[in-house]
């Protein structure tokens, strides 16, 4: 979620806190206590700024009057206290009755007070013509309650009030300033109403939310119609608020953490936007909560007088999807509705889909590994049945042939020439089955999942179910709408859009209803498959291909439309050496040497459509670039990128910059020249191994996972532009979804998190002055000391950017030297 805990303040006061307020002029949080004390805390740090005892009883409420820049507090002693911008008392009035709630009618410049059995209206006097900020002459009374009016809120010429008499009353303000009741709900709850807030979303929908002693929260429309009833709380609903930043309702119902609801659908969204920070220090139940839009903060108090403050973070996690095991890789569909495919540590693939009624809730469907293995076994049995008669006739001949082979094998010595090692037996004994890489092929609607068990699983739609769904006729066809009525629908009508929709889009929706089944299991690799790259027809080839690589150092090319192995990479230099000296090399070892693509295991692989090249990162500290071809013998070596001092874990092609980007265990990210030369243009120190990488397809920004942190580097001068913190373990995969302007990441902490993507217009980046350092790009970049916090980025125009990988980049104008930014967390590995 975008709300993150800023700090906690223990023992805020010796007596219980009864009300919360905020002074935007001083950026201070105001606490009203049971003994009449008002405490003022700095909103950023929580430091106590002032303590004043002015009330003689409970401080019941605070309200801010923006025009006069004063805060008005009320108490059950009958006093109204005005607090000025200097933080001191500037006015004091007594009305003679306990005051339980306050609100300001900004349009009429009125103060509305909730008393016992009535609402009372006073005129606000900004110029203090009457001698006070509040004119004590009563403007009007509304006596529609029979008990204490605990809540009163004003919005858009309407006043909403609720109290211990179980009533909810909606008033319309008149030109004379009086209140006219338009809706009176006499039994809104089964007990007294303790809290009330108003919700207004981006579509101008307005709801009234109430909480009560009866452990129920109700959501009402603006005209008093019940929309949702929320129950299941362990205690009475003591307080609630609406957080506009993430469009959710926070409810306190006897627990030590808030419970989150979506106001539109009424769904409990705590599982998806729950607080990611540990709440061990907050063990007592929360009592009061309030949202202050001026500072973007949520402030809550506990029964033990502790204060908890959450602050909005624009780069914070929007939603969290919890999985049952570690998550290695993610893929998504571009065709709406957008689906997420997640590969986990148990070898299963999870399909996540956002609910249409709620932007926070995602439905989940599991594609189990055991189902894929059963399907393969079932297909194998069917094939065996077809060949049973033929196999029965040849059984005697085969047994005799096998017997002769066994006798010959026993007669030979231990070092006699034999067959290669049985790969299937090693696969069967290998327990690891995590999905390391997953790719979705949009054109074929196929999920390709590379596993640690050396297999590649291909999931597709259930063709039998698809055919059955296509035969089903809808009750009403869109084609039956007469053309003469189309003008009544309008150009943007959903019916017309559906009518003009392509046949492919309609077929896709039908296919998704049918579900996924395992179509193929590729088992050409001998060990863990770590990387996949997609080559489509749009790239100029006559088919759709998947390029796979892994720990066996082999590269396989799969033709996905047929579901077969097209070819494997073959090293021509190894072939020529075998042809020259065939007597010194065995046949099996020669075949293995021909198919080996590098000296170390392959960690990552990517494809460049514009250059028709594939680049793969290896544990031998190199990145190899080869021309792609469906003929493995024609995949010639174009270049090797050399410079990293440890294993290279990530490689990506940046289409916006036309450059290769690499990340390594040595804690550096390198940007390579696009001219095909082994020239590193920029070197950035991340102070931690780079476990994942992706490219922002909208602006070319580089998004990397440095252990538990996600960092975004702008594409012009490669300065740190955004930092996302929330994962509690290593980030294994990052994906950019331009259709939603979001990043999605997976981690070993068994969660998938969704973040707001970095926007280039959000921050101005200044070009560093080239004369600040005399560094030439003709020489290779210098590696920094491991203890140094600085990183040097060398541009092709001889510009130099100095940064110590801060959590927030500081941009420097042209007439000032580049400023270093603050330090980030060091490598914890």
């Amino acid at each position: 979620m975008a709300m993150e805990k800023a700090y906690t303040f223990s023992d805020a006061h010796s007596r219980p806190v009864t009300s919360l307020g905020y002074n935007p002029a001083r950026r201070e949080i105001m606490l009203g206590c049971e003994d009449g004390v008002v405490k003022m805390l700095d909103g950023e740090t929580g430091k106590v700024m002032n303590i004043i005892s002015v009330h003689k009883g409970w401080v019941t409420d605070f309200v801010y009057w923006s025009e006069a820049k004063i805060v008005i507090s009320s108490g059950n002693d009958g006093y109204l206290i005005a607090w000025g911008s200097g933080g001191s008392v500037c006015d004091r009035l007594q009305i003679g009755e306990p005051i339980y709630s306050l609100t300001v009618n900004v349009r009429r410049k009125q103060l509305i007070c909730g008393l016992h059995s009535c609402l009372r209206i006073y005129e606000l006097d900004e110029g203090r013509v009457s001698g006070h900020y509040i004119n004590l002459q009563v403007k009007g009374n509304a006596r529609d309650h029979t008990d204490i009016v605990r809540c009163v809120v004003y919005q858009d010429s309407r006043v909403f009030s609720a109290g211990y008499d179980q009533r909810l009353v909606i008033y319309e303000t008149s030109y004379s300033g009086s209140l006219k009741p338009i809706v009176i709900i006499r039994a809104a709850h089964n007990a007294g109403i303790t809290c009330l807030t108003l919700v207004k979303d981006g579509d101008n929908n307005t709801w009234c939310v109430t909480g009560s002693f009866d452990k129920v929260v109700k959501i009402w429309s603006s005209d008093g119609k019940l929309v949702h009833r929320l129950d299941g709380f362990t205690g009475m609903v003591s307080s609630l608020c609406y957080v506009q930043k993430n469009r959710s309702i926070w409810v306190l119902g006897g627990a030590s953490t808030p419970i989150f609801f979506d106001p539109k659908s009424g769904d409990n969204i705590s599982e998806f936007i729950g607080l990611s920070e540990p709440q061990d220090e907050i063990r007592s139940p929360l009592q009061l909560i309030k949202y202050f839009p001026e500072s973007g903060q949520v402030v809550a108090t506990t029964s033990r007088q502790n204060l908890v403050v959450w602050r909005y973070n624009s780069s914070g996690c929007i939603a969290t999807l919890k999985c049952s095991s570690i998550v290695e890789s993610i893929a998504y569909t571009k065709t709406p509705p957008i689906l997420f495919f997640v590969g986990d540590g148990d070898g299963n693939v999870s399909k996540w889909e956002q609910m249409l009624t709620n932007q926070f809730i995602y439905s989940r469907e599991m594609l189990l590994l055991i189902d894929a293995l059963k399907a393969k076994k079932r297909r194998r049995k069917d094939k065996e049945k077809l060949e049973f008669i033929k196999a029965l006739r040849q059984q005697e001949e085969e047994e005799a042939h096998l017997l002769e082979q066994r006798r010959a094998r026993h007669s030979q010595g231990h070092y006699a020439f034999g067959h290669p090692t049985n790969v299937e037996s090693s696969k069967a004994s290998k327990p690891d089955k995590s999905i390391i890489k997953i790719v979705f092929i949009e054109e074929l609607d196929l999920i390709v999942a590379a596993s640690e068990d050396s297999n590649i699983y291909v999931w597709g739609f259930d063709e039998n179910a698809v055919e059955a769904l296509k035969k089903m006729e809808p009750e009403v066809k869109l084609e039956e709408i007469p053309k003469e009525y189309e003008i009544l629908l309008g150009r943007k009508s959903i019916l017309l859009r559906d009518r003009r929709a392509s046949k492919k889009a309609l077929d896709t929706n039908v296919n998704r209803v049918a579900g996924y089944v395992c179509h193929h299991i590729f088992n050409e690799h001998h060990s863990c498959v770590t990387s996949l790259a997609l080559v489509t027809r749009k790239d100029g080839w006559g088919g759709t291909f998947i390029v796979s690589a892994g720990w066996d150092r082999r590269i396989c090319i799969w033709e996905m439309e047929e579901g077969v192995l097209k070819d494997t990479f073959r090293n021509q230099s190894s072939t020529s050496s075998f042809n020259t000296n065939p007597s010194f090399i065995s046949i099996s070892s020669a075949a293995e040497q021909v198919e080996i693509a590098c000296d170390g295991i392959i960690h990552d692989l990517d494809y460049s459509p514009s250059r028709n090249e594939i680049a793969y990162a290896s544990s031998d500290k190199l990145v190899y670039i080869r021309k792609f071809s469906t003929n493995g013998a024609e995949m010639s070596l174009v270049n090797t990128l050399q410079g990293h001092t440890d294993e290279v874990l990530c490689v990506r092609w940046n289409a916006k910059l036309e450059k290769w980007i690499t990340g390594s265990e040595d804690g550096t990210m390198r940007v390579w020249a696009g001219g095909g030369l082994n020239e590193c243009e920029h070197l950035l120190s991340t102070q931690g191994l780079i476990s994942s990488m992706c490219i922002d397809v909208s602006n070319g920004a580089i998004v990397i996972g440095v252990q538990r942190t996600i960092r975004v580097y702008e594409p012009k001068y490669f300065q740190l532009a955004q930092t996302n913190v929330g994962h509690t373990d290593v980030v294994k995969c990052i994906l950019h979804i331009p259709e939603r302007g979001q990043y999605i990441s997976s981690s070993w902490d068994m969660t998938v998190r969704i973040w707001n993507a970095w926007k280039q217009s959000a921050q101005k980046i200044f070009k560093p002055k080239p004369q600040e350092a005399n560094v030439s790009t003709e020489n290779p970049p210098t590696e920094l000391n491991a203890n140094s916090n600085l990183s040097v980025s060398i541009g092709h125009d001889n510009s130099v950017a100095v940064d110590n990988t801060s959590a927030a980049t500081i941009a420097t104008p042209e007439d000032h030297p580049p400023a270093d930014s603050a330090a980030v967390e060091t490598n914890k590995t």
Side-chain angles (χ1 to χ4, degrees):
M1 57 181 283
M3 301 296 295
E4 298 177 352
K5 188 177 66 177
Y7 58 87
T8 57
F9 187 76
S10 301
D11 299 328
H13 194 60
S14 59
R15 301 296 296 274
V17 178
T18 55
S19 60
L20 295 170
Y22 186 75
N23 190 345
R26 296 179 56 83
R27 298 181 181 178
E28 291 179 349
I29 299 171
M30 303 181 71
L31 307 180
C33 304
E34 189 179 85
D35 55 0
V37 173
V38 175
K39 272 191 175 182
M40 302 177 188
L41 310 178
D42 181 73
E44 295 294 327
T45 62
K47 180 181 177 182
V48 178
M49 306 301 295
N50 201 357
I51 302 176
I52 303 177
S53 179
V54 289
H55 289 278
K56 298 179 181 179
W58 288 20
V59 182
T60 55
D61 205 357
F62 292 95
V63 67
Y64 180 68
W65 184 19
S66 58
E67 293 186 6
K69 292 187 170 73
I70 63 171
V71 176
I72 303 173
S73 65
S74 63
N76 60 4
D77 57 357
Y79 276 93
L80 292 171
I81 307 297
W83 305 81
S85 57
S88 59
V89 177
C90 60
D91 201 358
R92 179 176 179 143
L93 304 94
Q94 185 180 22
I95 66 172
E97 293 185 49
I99 308 167
Y100 301 101
S101 55
L102 295 173
T103 191
V104 172
N105 185 339
V106 181
R107 184 176 299 179
R108 303 296 177 193
K109 294 185 180 181
Q110 295 173 343
L111 179 67
I112 303 175
C113 304
L115 310 179
H116 189 283
S117 305
C118 78
L119 293 178
R120 185 168 295 174
I121 304 172
Y122 295 97
E123 292 286 347
L124 292 173
D125 188 0
E126 184 178 357
R128 304 186 69 172
V129 177
S130 62
H132 299 281
Y133 282 108
I134 304 169
N135 190 342
L136 289 179
Q137 183 178 359
V138 178
K139 185 70 174 178
N141 287 301
R143 302 185 180 276
D144 299 292
H145 286 276
T146 59
D147 206 336
I148 292 174
V149 182
R150 190 63 186 91
C151 321
V152 57
V153 180
Y154 168 84
Q155 188 180 52
D156 297 337
S157 74
R158 285 192 176 185
V159 176
F160 298 76
S161 66
Y164 291 164
D165 57 358
Q166 308 174 19
R167 291 187 178 185
L168 173 63
V169 184
I170 304 176
Y171 297 92
E172 187 76 32
T173 58
S174 63
Y175 289 100
S176 61
S178 62
L179 297 177
K180 178 183 178 182
I182 57 175
V183 177
I184 299 178
I185 305 174
R186 301 186 183 278
H189 284 267
N190 296 329
I193 299 175
T194 58
C195 47
L196 180 148
T197 189
L198 293 182
V199 176
K200 189 173 183 179
D201 64 1
D203 299 330
N204 289 326
N205 297 318
T206 303
W207 298 280
C208 175
V209 187
T210 58
S212 171
F213 286 108
D214 61 1
K215 304 179 183 179
V216 173
V217 171
K218 292 186 178 182
I219 302 177
W220 312 81
S221 64
S222 58
D223 55 355
K225 303 296 183 181
L226 181 61
V227 180
H228 299 291
R229 185 182 187 273
L230 315 175
D231 52 13
F233 301 99
T234 58
M236 77 164 192
V237 180
S238 58
S239 185
L240 55 83
C241 69
Y242 174 68
V243 180
Q244 193 175 13
K245 289 291 187 179
N246 62 359
R247 292 166 289 180
S248 62
I249 301 173
W250 296 33
V251 181
L252 304 185
S256 59
T257 56
I259 303 176
F260 309 98
F261 292 93
D262 177 58
K264 191 172 185 179
S265 63
D267 296 325
N268 188 335
I269 57 177
S270 303
E271 180 183 355
F272 300 94
I273 67 167
L275 302 177
S276 59
E277 304 85 359
Q279 306 292 316
D280 295 338
E281 66 276 13
I282 311 173
R283 297 181 180 179
S284 53
L286 296 173
Q287 295 289 335
L288 296 176
I289 192 167
K290 208 160 189 179
Y291 171 67
F292 303 119
E294 299 87 355
S295 61
Q297 290 178 325
V298 176
V299 182
T301 61
T302 69
S303 59
R304 295 186 179 180
Q305 292 80 53
N306 296 329
L307 188 74
V308 188
V309 179
W310 293 273
R311 185 180 293 115
Y312 176 73
N313 182 8
S314 59
S315 59
C317 178
I318 300 174
T320 302
L321 311 181
K322 297 180 181 179
C323 303
S324 57
S325 63
I326 62 174
V327 185
E328 294 274 359
S329 183
I330 320 170
Y332 85 103
T333 64
K334 297 180 181 179
T335 304
I338 295 177
L339 307 177
F340 299 148
F341 299 101
V342 177
D344 59 22
D346 295 332
N348 303 320
V349 177
S350 303
K351 184 188 75 172
W352 296 84
E353 181 179 0
Q354 188 181 43
M355 301 294 290
L356 296 178
T357 59
N358 194 300
Q359 62 175 337
F360 299 107
I361 298 181
Y362 289 79
S363 63
R364 182 184 183 184
E365 179 184 347
M366 296 292 295
L367 308 181
L368 301 178
L369 175 63
I370 188 172
D371 293 342
L373 298 177
K374 287 180 179 178
K376 180 183 179 182
K377 187 177 181 180
R378 185 165 52 251
R379 287 193 298 269
R380 184 185 301 171
K381 287 183 177 180
D382 294 339
K383 186 176 181 180
E384 289 176 356
K385 288 180 180 179
L386 295 176
E387 298 178 354
F388 177 74
I389 299 177
K390 183 178 180 181
L392 188 62
R393 294 176 181 177
Q394 298 178 353
Q395 183 176 4
E396 295 180 359
E397 298 179 0
E398 291 179 357
E399 289 179 354
H401 182 65
L402 290 173
L403 184 61
E404 292 178 1
Q405 285 184 343
R406 289 175 184 173
R407 292 175 179 175
R409 189 180 298 113
H410 286 296
S411 62
Q412 293 176 346
H414 176 70
Y415 295 100
F417 175 78
H419 296 283
T421 305
N422 189 354
V423 178
E424 293 295 331
S425 61
S426 64
K427 291 181 183 178
S429 62
K430 189 175 180 62
D432 300 325
K433 52 187 178 181
S434 298
I435 300 297
I436 304 297
K437 184 71 175 180
I438 188 168
V439 172
F440 183 77
I441 305 177
E442 202 79 30
E443 293 79 4
L444 305 178
D445 290 320
L446 294 178
I447 307 169
V448 185
S451 176
E452 201 173 1
D453 62 0
S454 75
N455 291 329
I456 299 177
Y457 300 92
V458 182
W459 299 80
F461 294 123
D462 189 347
E463 297 177 356
N464 296 330
V466 168
E467 292 300 325
L469 288 172
K470 287 183 178 180
K471 294 178 180 179
M472 297 175 61
E473 293 289 338
E475 295 182 0
V476 179
K477 297 182 179 180
L478 296 177
E479 289 78 4
E480 296 178 358
I481 300 177
K483 293 185 177 181
E484 56 266 23
Y485 294 118
E486 289 185 1
I487 190 173
L488 300 177
L489 297 175
R491 294 182 178 180
K492 298 182 179 180
S493 172
I494 299 178
L495 293 176
L496 293 183
R497 286 204 304 267
D498 292 342
R499 195 175 191 175
R500 295 190 294 264
S502 64
K503 183 178 183 300
K504 180 182 177 181
L506 295 176
D507 291 343
T508 301
N509 294 331
V510 172
N511 293 342
R512 291 184 179 181
V513 174
Y516 288 88
V517 295
C518 184
H519 286 184
H520 308 286
I521 299 180
F522 301 149
N523 54 5
E524 182 67 22
H525 284 280
H526 302 159
S527 186
C528 172
V529 184
T530 59
S531 50
L532 300 172
L534 176 63
V535 182
T536 64
R537 290 181 177 270
K538 297 179 181 178
D539 301 324
W541 297 92
T544 303
F545 302 94
I546 283 287
V547 184
S548 63
W551 285 7
D552 58 0
R553 300 178 292 172
R554 300 169 66 244
I555 299 176
C556 299
I557 306 170
W558 307 89
E559 187 174 357
M560 299 309 300
E561 294 173 354
E562 299 294 333
V564 296
L565 177 67
K566 181 68 175 178
D567 203 351
T568 58
F569 165 76
R570 298 187 300 279
N571 195 335
Q572 292 301 308
S573 59
S574 299
T575 305
S576 60
S577 63
F578 172 69
N579 293 333
T580 306
N581 301 308
S583 59
F584 298 99
I585 306 177
S586 65
I587 298 176
S588 60
S589 61
E592 293 178 357
Q593 290 295 327
V594 167
E595 293 184 350
I596 290 178
C598 56
D599 294 333
I601 64 176
I602 299 176
H603 287 298
D604 198 8
L605 182 145
D606 199 16
Y607 174 69
S608 169
S610 59
R611 294 179 177 274
N612 190 34
E613 296 174 349
I614 61 168
Y616 48 96
S618 174
S619 61
D620 59 8
K621 309 175 186 178
L622 299 177
V623 176
Y624 300 83
I625 303 177
R626 294 184 180 273
K627 283 291 183 182
F628 172 75
S629 175
T630 55
N631 185 352
E634 297 178 359
M635 298 176 65
S636 59
L637 183 65
V638 177
N639 194 10
T640 57
L641 306 180
Q642 183 176 2
H644 286 288
T645 59
D646 209 332
E647 295 187 16
V648 186
L649 300 180
C650 307
V651 58
R652 288 292 180 271
W653 171 253
N654 193 323
K656 294 288 184 181
L657 303 179
E658 292 287 326
K659 301 178 188 298
W660 288 105
I661 316 293
T662 59
S664 170
E665 280 189 353
D666 60 9
T668 63
M669 179 181 69
R670 293 173 181 260
V671 182
W672 303 88
L677 301 176
N678 184 14
E679 179 183 353
C680 178
E681 292 186 343
H682 298 274
L683 183 149
L684 298 174
S685 175
T686 61
Q687 297 296 311
L689 67 87
I690 301 174
S691 56
S692 54
M693 178 185 295
C694 87
I695 304 300
D696 192 314
V697 298
S698 300
N699 48 46
I702 305 171
V703 189
I704 61 173
V706 183
Q707 298 200 28
R708 298 180 297 177
T709 307
I710 299 175
R711 299 176 184 171
V712 183
Y713 292 86
E714 55 85 21
K716 191 171 184 180
Y717 301 111
F718 304 101
Q719 297 179 1
L720 186 62
Q722 179 174 299
T723 302
N724 301 101
V725 179
H727 282 292
T728 59
D729 210 329
V730 178
V731 179
K732 295 300 295 180
C733 182
I734 308 174
L735 206 63
H736 178 222
I737 306 177
E739 292 82 0
R740 292 183 179 174
Q742 295 174 344
Y743 300 138
I744 180 170
S745 61
S746 64
S747 169
W748 280 354
D749 61 3
M750 298 189 292
T751 63
V752 175
R753 296 178 184 264
I754 303 172
W755 319 79
N756 284 323
W758 176 72
K759 297 181 181 179
Q760 195 166 8
S761 58
Q763 180 179 355
K764 184 177 180 181
I765 304 298
F766 295 92
K767 179 180 178 181
K769 297 177 67 174
Q771 61 267 25
E772 294 298 330
N774 186 15
V775 182
S776 174
T777 56
E778 296 179 357
N779 298 322
T782 304
E783 292 283 353
L784 297 175
N785 193 306
N787 298 324
S788 173
N789 290 328
L790 296 177
S791 64
V792 180
S793 176
I794 307 171
H796 61 276
D797 56 352
N798 292 338
S799 62
V800 178
V802 182
D803 191 10
N804 62 349
T805 61
S806 65
T809 302
I810 301 177
T812 306
E814 290 285 349
D815 54 349
H816 293 281
D820 294 341
S821 44
V824 297
E825 61 180 4
T826 57
N827 188 357
K828 297 182 181 179
T829 58

